[in-house]
Amino acid sequence: MQSKARDVAGYLESLPDERRIALEKLRESCRQFLQGYEECMEYGMPAYKRGGVVEVAFASQKQYISLYMLKKDVVDRHRGALAGCRIGKGCIRFSKPDRIDFTVVSRLLQDMAKSKSAPC
């Protein structure tokens, strides 16, 4: 279900504590490593745009937390470090908020910021 929150702060406030803590850390990481990106709400979730195009987003789903990294080459370079996650073309699904490896997430975001490839 898409959130009706108008901004990222409102989105985070609407979450249960155990989810909100993890997603606040994701937000902090995005703000730290995605310099020059615009934070916004797209498709009912927090997103980060560069040049008007969404490249990163995250969401609290019913069974997991999703991190959308919309450059397949970036995700592919880090697949080995994402053991235990379900990974699609551009979506990384974390089944438990407390198992998110923020060191790996930081590396993904740094790689995303440097990548010149087109988002999928």
Side-chain angles (χ1 to χ4, degrees):
M1 185 164 112
Q2 287 188 356
S3 172
K4 303 251 188 268
R6 298 184 70 143
D7 57 26
V8 177
Y11 178 86
L12 294 171
E13 287 173 11
S14 71
L15 300 173
D17 288 344
E18 69 277 358
R19 295 282 181 120
R20 185 175 58 250
I21 292 166
L23 291 173
E24 284 173 345
K25 284 180 99 171
L26 276 175
R27 182 187 193 195
E28 288 171 22
S29 295
C30 288
R31 291 173 126 184
Q32 179 180 357
F33 296 112
L34 299 177
Q35 298 297 311
Y37 284 68
E38 172 193 352
E39 181 181 75
C40 59
M41 290 293 292
E42 290 285 336
Y43 307 104
M45 63 185 146
Y48 296 85
K49 291 180 179 179
R50 178 164 52 177
V53 178
V54 174
E55 293 186 8
V56 176
F58 57 81
S60 177
Q61 308 292 353
K62 186 174 182 178
Q63 301 294 325
Y64 49 85
I65 290 176
S66 297
L67 175 60
Y68 297 92
M69 303 291 292
L70 300 178
K71 292 189 177 185
K72 187 178 180 307
D73 61 316
V74 173
V75 174
D76 287 345
R77 282 193 289 274
H78 298 273
R79 271 183 200 276
L82 293 165
C85 297
R86 289 189 5 237
I87 306 170
K89 186 168 124 181
C91 180
I92 303 163
R93 296 171 192 91
F94 300 96
S95 60
K96 302 211 184 267
D98 60 339
R99 290 195 183 159
I100 297 173
D101 185 337
F102 285 97
T103 300
V104 173
V105 169
S106 296
R107 288 187 201 127
L108 277 160
L109 293 170
Q110 289 172 36
D111 194 0
M112 179 67 77
K114 292 176 190 171
S115 175
K116 302 295 185 209
S117 64
C120 52

